[in-house]
Amino acid sequence: MLTLRHVRAGRAAADPAPAQWHRGLTLLATISLFIGTRTLWTTAMHRHPPVAGVISLCYAAILVCGVLALAVRGRRALARVDGLVLAVAITLVVCGYWLDHAGSDEGVLTAQAALQILHGRPVYGDPWPWLFGTPRVGLTKTMAGGGDFTYGYPPLTAMIAAPVRLVIHSTAAATLVTSAALIIGTLVLWRLLPVPWRSAATAVCLGFGMLPAYARLGYPAVLALALLVPVVVRWPATGAGGRLGRYGVLRAVCLGAACAAQQLAWFLAPFLLIGVYAVRRGDMAGHGDPAPDAREADGDRARLRTPGRRALAVTARYAGVAALTWAVLNAYVAALGPRAWASGLLLPISQGAILHGQGLMGISYYFTPGSSRLDFYSYATLLLLLGLLAALVLFARRLGPALTVLPWLPFYLSTRSQDGYYLLMTPLWLAAAATVPASALAGAWQPRLPLGRRAKAACGAGLLLPAAACAAIAAASPAPLRMTVTARFTDTPRHGITSAAVRVVNTTGTTLTPHFASRAAQSASGWWAITSGPASIGPHASATYELTPPHGFRRVARGGHTLHMIAVTGKPMTITTALVPDPAAAGR
């Protein structure tokens, strides 16, 4: 006779208790939804009270999810809680988009590019200065004293936004595409991950207030992220058995499409190709190598059947499908102007944008008077990228699990070292952690180094030494100019600077063409107009410049300030920083 105890025992056997770390991930995902939700609710109360009501219900759902995450007893029950947390997160993302979908400069530029596609006009090469000048749409200034008014991203996001632009006649068309891409990418990642890891995907993609904000701003990198999710999940399975198969082809198509969406995907691609080659060569060398008597009689065909050749062949097919996808998606916009298209795609690399970010360049920008060798930061970036690729080849088994993190290390040394370059791709880190354990790389091929452990460590460090040396040169180089700033202040109607006289001495043996801006915190102002002074300063020469701030006035806080004048040059790339004296502070 069945008793209640027998029924409960049967249920427990059918739905065993989840691991405690699974509960922890579910709870962390639930907590992550609180971040930024209060600001969202406050904004909604001012603009759209019904949306605020929905957000209030989300608060209740978050609390319920927190209780359930700790109270449910079975794995399937906790998996359903994971689904509820995901639904709440998506609801909050939709509410956020409803309240703010105007986008930033990237979204505005993408929406304009979509409009260009609809009208059959060139996307690349034509400046769009009327889009800039508002607080939301900032201009990327260049070290040559100008700004970049053109489109500098691959075309896929704009192509997808083009039909949406027919219905939504604003930047919201572009931000809708990126917001939808984030939600779809999250759903795909959530579905592909092992069940206990799924709430981590919710937290990383939709929680913590990180990626939804970038999606609302219209960043094309969000679309690239969504396309890279199926590429990265279980990537060592790509080309298994020497055949791409339908899933391998799908991964290759997604990789090519991601490269057609944003340049960040370009940096991941070579690491993936090296990883796939190493895994496939190791797999083929350990399993299924043809016996000598089974080899083809023809010498060339026999060589093609070696593990290295077969691994190279499947990796080449993978790369070829990705490249073909990329070419097809770029074909239309490239046909409108091949040279402008090529220049546009390379613009973020070649434009020589002014320093910005949280990386090593901050030594020269924020903490020292400047540097006369900023180009060495770029050299360090390239050398670190090459060094990491070489290290992955030599130590594929050790570095393979971190393959999705390695591509972003070089950006820390670049002159544009913004946090977005790192955090926008963090869901891929999670995808690798959950689906690519170290055991998946245990048999990966890597060159045999007849060295001890310390010698191998020294070899790896040697690959990174050139990058470190270049970064040290850039950071340790002195400022090329000596500047003395005399600012003219006014208190009518506001306290600020109306003009400034800057005495400049060129301490180098190179003719320099300086361009001036002010910096109160981490970002530079617009260019100050030179009303008097030479265009260039010869080696070891001096000059005095009369400068006027943008719009004729630079507001400064009363009672003291920390305002700096910066002078930059494009060729060579240099920066000099000098403090603007505050007469009010000096009088105290």
Side-chain angles (χ1 to χ4, degrees):
M1 181 177 179
L2 290 175
T3 64
L4 182 60
R5 184 174 60 184
H6 290 119
V7 172
R8 289 176 177 173
R11 289 176 179 174
D15 190 11
Q20 196 66 16
W21 66 268
H22 182 184
R23 292 186 187 276
L25 287 181
T26 304
L27 192 62
L28 286 175
T30 304
I31 294 170
S32 75
L33 301 186
F34 279 124
I35 300 174
T37 304
R38 179 183 178 183
T39 302
L40 199 64
W41 179 85
T42 303
T43 303
M45 283 302 299
H46 284 286
R47 299 180 183 176
H48 300 283
V51 177
V54 174
I55 297 172
S56 294
L57 292 177
C58 288
Y59 266 107
I62 292 171
L63 296 172
V64 171
C65 287
V67 173
L68 294 177
L70 298 175
V72 297
R73 294 185 175 182
R75 294 179 186 175
R76 286 198 295 270
L78 188 56
R80 287 191 285 270
V81 177
D82 291 336
L84 179 58
V85 175
L86 175 65
V88 175
I90 292 175
T91 302
L92 289 172
V93 170
V94 173
C95 289
Y97 174 80
W98 185 270
L99 294 171
D100 182 9
H101 46 255
S104 66
D105 50 351
E106 304 209 11
V108 171
L109 285 167
T110 300
Q112 180 63 33
L115 192 61
Q116 298 287 108
I117 291 172
L118 286 175
H119 290 90
R121 295 194 294 260
V123 174
Y124 299 97
D126 291 341
W128 304 327
W130 63 88
L131 298 178
F132 299 89
T134 65
R136 184 175 285 271
V137 185
L139 175 66
T140 299
K141 295 178 286 296
T142 62
M143 298 289 283
D148 194 349
F149 298 96
T150 60
Y151 193 62
Y153 303 100
L156 183 58
T157 310
M159 293 171 66
I160 297 175
V164 183
R165 196 78 161 80
L166 292 172
V167 180
I168 303 176
H169 307 291
S170 68
T171 306
T175 57
L176 178 61
V177 169
T178 51
S179 296
L182 178 62
I183 293 174
I184 294 171
T186 303
L187 291 172
V188 172
L189 179 59
W190 197 89
R191 182 66 182 83
L192 292 178
L193 289 183
V195 172
W197 286 87
R198 288 176 174 175
S199 274
T202 303
V204 173
C205 293
L206 304 181
F208 299 125
M210 296 192 308
L211 298 187
Y214 281 96
R216 290 195 300 271
L217 294 175
Y219 273 58
V222 176
L223 177 60
L225 164 66
L227 290 166
L228 287 172
V229 165
V231 177
V232 167
V233 172
R234 299 179 182 87
W235 65 261
T238 304
R243 294 171 49 112
L244 276 183
R246 59 181 180 179
Y247 292 115
V249 171
L250 176 62
R251 287 187 176 106
V253 169
C254 288
L255 177 59
C259 291
Q262 217 269 354
Q263 290 91 338
L264 285 179
W266 299 2
F267 294 87
L268 178 63
F271 288 89
L272 275 171
L273 295 178
I274 291 173
V276 169
Y277 173 80
V279 173
R280 293 284 70 82
R281 180 166 175 175
D283 182 55
M284 292 173 183
H287 303 90
D289 275 354
D293 57 352
R295 292 183 180 240
E296 300 289 342
D298 181 73
D300 290 338
R301 295 181 65 185
R303 282 192 295 273
L304 285 174
R305 289 172 61 85
T306 62
R309 294 289 184 117
R310 287 185 292 158
L312 184 60
V314 71
T315 305
R317 289 195 295 272
Y318 179 60
V321 173
L324 179 62
T325 302
W326 177 84
V328 169
L329 293 174
N330 278 274
Y332 174 71
V333 292
L336 296 176
R339 183 173 296 180
W341 163 77
S343 299
L345 293 192
L346 295 175
L347 191 63
I349 300 172
S350 62
Q351 68 187 167
I354 196 169
L355 278 65
H356 184 71
Q358 298 82 28
L360 201 65
M361 43 67 58
I363 295 175
S364 302
Y365 194 25
Y366 305 121
F367 303 114
T368 69
S371 173
S372 58
R373 292 183 173 89
L374 293 179
D375 289 307
F376 277 81
Y377 283 121
S378 299
Y379 304 153
T381 302
L382 178 59
L383 289 171
L384 182 56
L385 177 64
L386 296 176
L388 290 172
L389 288 170
L392 182 60
V393 172
L394 295 177
F395 309 107
R397 296 170 191 170
R398 177 60 62 89
L399 296 179
L403 181 147
T404 55
V405 184
L406 292 175
W408 322 120
L409 268 65
F411 287 98
Y412 191 77
L413 304 185
S414 69
T415 54
R416 298 285 287 186
S417 182
Q418 302 173 98
D419 56 356
Y421 296 147
Y422 321 127
L423 65 88
L424 275 167
M425 296 295 162
T426 47
L428 304 181
W429 306 6
L430 173 67
T435 64
V436 187
S439 58
L441 282 300
W445 172 85
Q446 57 188 29
R448 292 183 179 179
L449 299 177
L451 304 171
R453 180 174 297 180
R454 291 184 178 179
K456 289 181 179 179
C459 177
L463 293 174
L464 310 181
L465 187 59
C470 286
I473 291 172
S477 295
L481 305 174
R482 287 202 307 268
M483 295 198 307
T484 304
V485 183
T486 304
R488 301 179 180 91
F489 286 82
T490 181
D491 282 309
T492 54
R494 296 171 297 171
H495 183 68
I497 300 173
T498 57
S499 64
V502 182
R503 178 68 176 173
V504 178
V505 179
N506 183 357
T507 63
T508 72
T510 304
T511 299
L512 300 176
T513 303
H515 308 280
F516 299 90
S518 58
R519 176 178 64 79
Q522 50 88 25
S523 292
S525 70
W527 299 116
W528 288 45
I530 300 176
T531 58
S532 174
S536 301
I537 309 175
H540 306 290
S542 62
T544 299
Y545 289 88
E546 289 289 335
L547 307 177
T548 302
H551 311 294
F553 184 77
R554 176 62 162 91
R555 187 171 184 175
V556 177
R558 286 185 173 87
H561 67 270
T562 305
L563 184 69
H564 293 86
M565 183 70 69
I566 64 171
V568 301
T569 63
K571 292 184 179 180
M573 283 183 63
T574 72
I575 187 167
T576 304
T577 302
L579 183 67
V580 178
D582 184 357
R588 290 198 299 268

